[in-house]
Amino acid sequence: MRPGARTDVGPPLRFLSSGPGLGFGAWAVGGTEWGVASAEKDRLAAVRRALELGITFFDTAPTYGDGASETLLGRALKADRDRIAIATKVGPRDDPRRSLEASLRRLATDYVDLIQLHEALEGWERQLERLHTLQEQGKALGVGLCNATHRQLVRALEIAPVIAYQGPYNLFDRDVEQRELPLCRERQIAFLAYRPLAAGLLSGKYLAPPEFPAADHRRKIYWFKGREFERRRTAIDGLASIARRLDMPLSGLALAWVLGQPGVSIVLAGARTPEQVEQNLTGTRPLTPGTFTEVDRIVAEAFPPLRATDDLKRQAATWGERERFIVERLDGKTSAETIAALWTDGNSTAMVAAQVKVFCDQLAEQGLVD
């Protein structure tokens, strides 16, 4: 179930059977929300280097640099359009036709290979229907969905011929293993993994909690601060030793781990320089079963399931439904991912493991969990 990785991913209508491969996530080359913007020539060179090295799947969105990412891809990929696949997105509040047509102008193409609904918010079913209409009109070869629950994905398959689902997945953040990834395997939907390097944390360069610029989206990500950063930093030390033994960068190990997971179709790795692209390509080296086991052990040791104290159980009796639900499942065996998935199974509002972890950190500060 862990075949060697590939980088020759063709258009979406073929990638259901093409095996796992590395794609280019084009948010960072949009030039905003990722620290100090690198020079446009470097970002353009990164895209062209990816193409030279065999990466043929490029994922973008109108919101990445307010269209700058799409414009950059249009310049870099126009001459090779026939041999690459481009995926873009439509926002949950945007007019699908106007949004896609503007994207096509920036991308310098008359169609995209995959058009995705960026988020499944209120009214998402109607948005998905409109994306399907655009597909029927030849403006996209396939329709996909991003950032949805498994129940929404099941519903989406009743509305449109959805061929791809995109969600966050890395060796720390494994929510999709509970429901979405198994569903994609069962229904033969391509799974596109974004944030495989945990927004740069798995580059290994952060030895202390970083202070990102005000406009950097990572300022709001919980794992760059507090207890969660310390847990992940401890695990990274062990993971880095594995990477050194394999003579590959930590980022390569992290990408190879995601590429080796059953059901993953494309791993979207971002880069802003040609050197980062080359480093990402080391992640296409397949790992041995023993290495997967070693990585999973290190991560599991850093995130042991918590147990509620008797005092917590007494206090929680008067708390809200979500809080009680979590506390009742803090039995020293159930993971945060499982708790979140069980809640989402039976409620209209989703829960993710991050919410469970942050809540548990608050409980730990009060000495209410073991």
Side-chain angles (χ1 to χ4, degrees), residues 271-288:
R272 292 195 291 181
T273 66
E275 293 74 23
Q276 290 176 347
V277 173
E278 293 164 7
Q279 188 175 66
N280 287 344
L281 262 293
T282 65
T284 61
R285 285 168 46 190
L287 305 178
T288 66

Side-chain angles (χ1 to χ4, degrees), residues 348-365:
S348 58
T349 56
M351 185 187 292
V352 294
Q355 293 169 307
V356 179
K357 291 177 180 178
V358 169
F359 178 56
C360 287
D361 282 345
Q362 295 169 350
L363 298 176
E365 291 173 356

Side-chain angles (χ1 to χ4, degrees), residues 60-62 88-97 99-100 103 115-119 127 131 134:
T60 185
T88 193
K89 306 176 186 76
V90 167
R93 304 290 185 234
D94 296 334
D95 178 88
R97 180 175 299 280
S99 177
L100 180 54
S103 291
I115 183 64
Q116 304 160 96
L117 183 60
H118 210 153
E119 292 182 89
Q127 288 288 80
L131 294 189
L134 294 172

Side-chain angles (χ1 to χ4, degrees), residues 117-121 124-125 128 145-157 162 164-168 175-176 178-184 187 189 191 194 322 340-353 355:
L117 183 60
H118 210 153
E119 292 182 89
L121 303 183
W124 68 269
E125 294 99 331
L128 194 64
L145 184 62
C146 308
N147 302 310
T149 68
H150 68 285
R151 296 200 303 177
Q152 289 173 323
L153 184 52
V154 170
R155 173 61 180 144
L157 292 169
V162 172
Y165 173 74
Q166 184 174 155
D175 286 77
V176 297
Q178 297 292 318
R179 301 289 187 269
E180 291 82 12
L181 190 53
L183 177 62
C184 287
R187 303 293 288 270
I189 302 166
F191 180 83
Y194 77 83
R322 287 169 66 96
L342 290 171
W343 169 272
T344 304
D345 285 345
N347 292 272
S348 58
T349 56
M351 185 187 292
V352 294
Q355 293 169 307

Side-chain angles (χ1 to χ4, degrees), residues 10-15 81-82 84-88 100 104 109-116 131-144 161-164:
L13 296 180
R14 288 169 40 205
F15 69 50
R81 182 66 183 94
D82 291 343
I84 55 99
I86 297 176
T88 193
L100 180 54
L104 293 177
T109 183
D110 55 5
Y111 74 98
V112 291
D113 299 86
L114 182 66
I115 183 64
Q116 304 160 96
L131 294 189
H132 184 210
T133 297
L134 294 172
Q135 177 195 8
E136 291 177 321
Q137 294 171 355
K139 296 182 182 295
L141 297 186
V143 174
V162 172
I163 63 168

Side-chain angles (χ1 to χ4, degrees), residues 139-283:
K139 296 182 182 295
L141 297 186
V143 174
L145 184 62
C146 308
N147 302 310
T149 68
H150 68 285
R151 296 200 303 177
Q152 289 173 323
L153 184 52
V154 170
R155 173 61 180 144
L157 292 169
E158 300 171 350
I159 297 171
V162 172
I163 63 168
Y165 173 74
Q166 184 174 155
Y169 192 27
N170 60 66
L171 56 80
F172 286 136
D173 303 294
R174 307 187 182 193
D175 286 77
V176 297
E177 292 180 352
Q178 297 292 318
R179 301 289 187 269
E180 291 82 12
L181 190 53
L183 177 62
C184 287
R185 290 197 297 262
E186 176 189 338
R187 303 293 288 270
Q188 292 191 296
I189 302 166
F191 180 83
L192 281 59
Y194 77 83
R195 203 174 271 169
L197 297 179
L201 182 64
L202 282 165
S203 68
K205 66 181 180 181
Y206 299 111
L207 302 180
E211 276 295 327
F212 293 112
D216 194 313
H217 80 285
R218 290 171 294 182
R219 286 176 65 94
K220 300 177 182 178
I221 298 179
Y222 80 107
W223 62 69
F224 282 110
K225 62 192 74 172
R227 289 175 178 264
E228 187 70 8
F229 178 85
E230 296 305 324
R231 281 191 291 264
R232 295 186 183 216
R233 182 65 248 175
T234 298
I236 283 172
D237 290 340
L239 296 170
S241 68
I242 298 176
R244 286 192 296 270
R245 189 180 72 230
L246 298 176
D247 192 27
M248 64 195 309
L250 176 61
S251 59
L253 175 68
L255 292 173
W257 184 90
V258 183
L259 279 164
Q261 300 308 311
V264 171
S265 303
I266 294 177
V267 176
L268 297 168
R272 292 195 291 181
T273 66
E275 293 74 23
Q276 290 176 347
V277 173
E278 293 164 7
Q279 188 175 66
N280 287 344
L281 262 293
T282 65

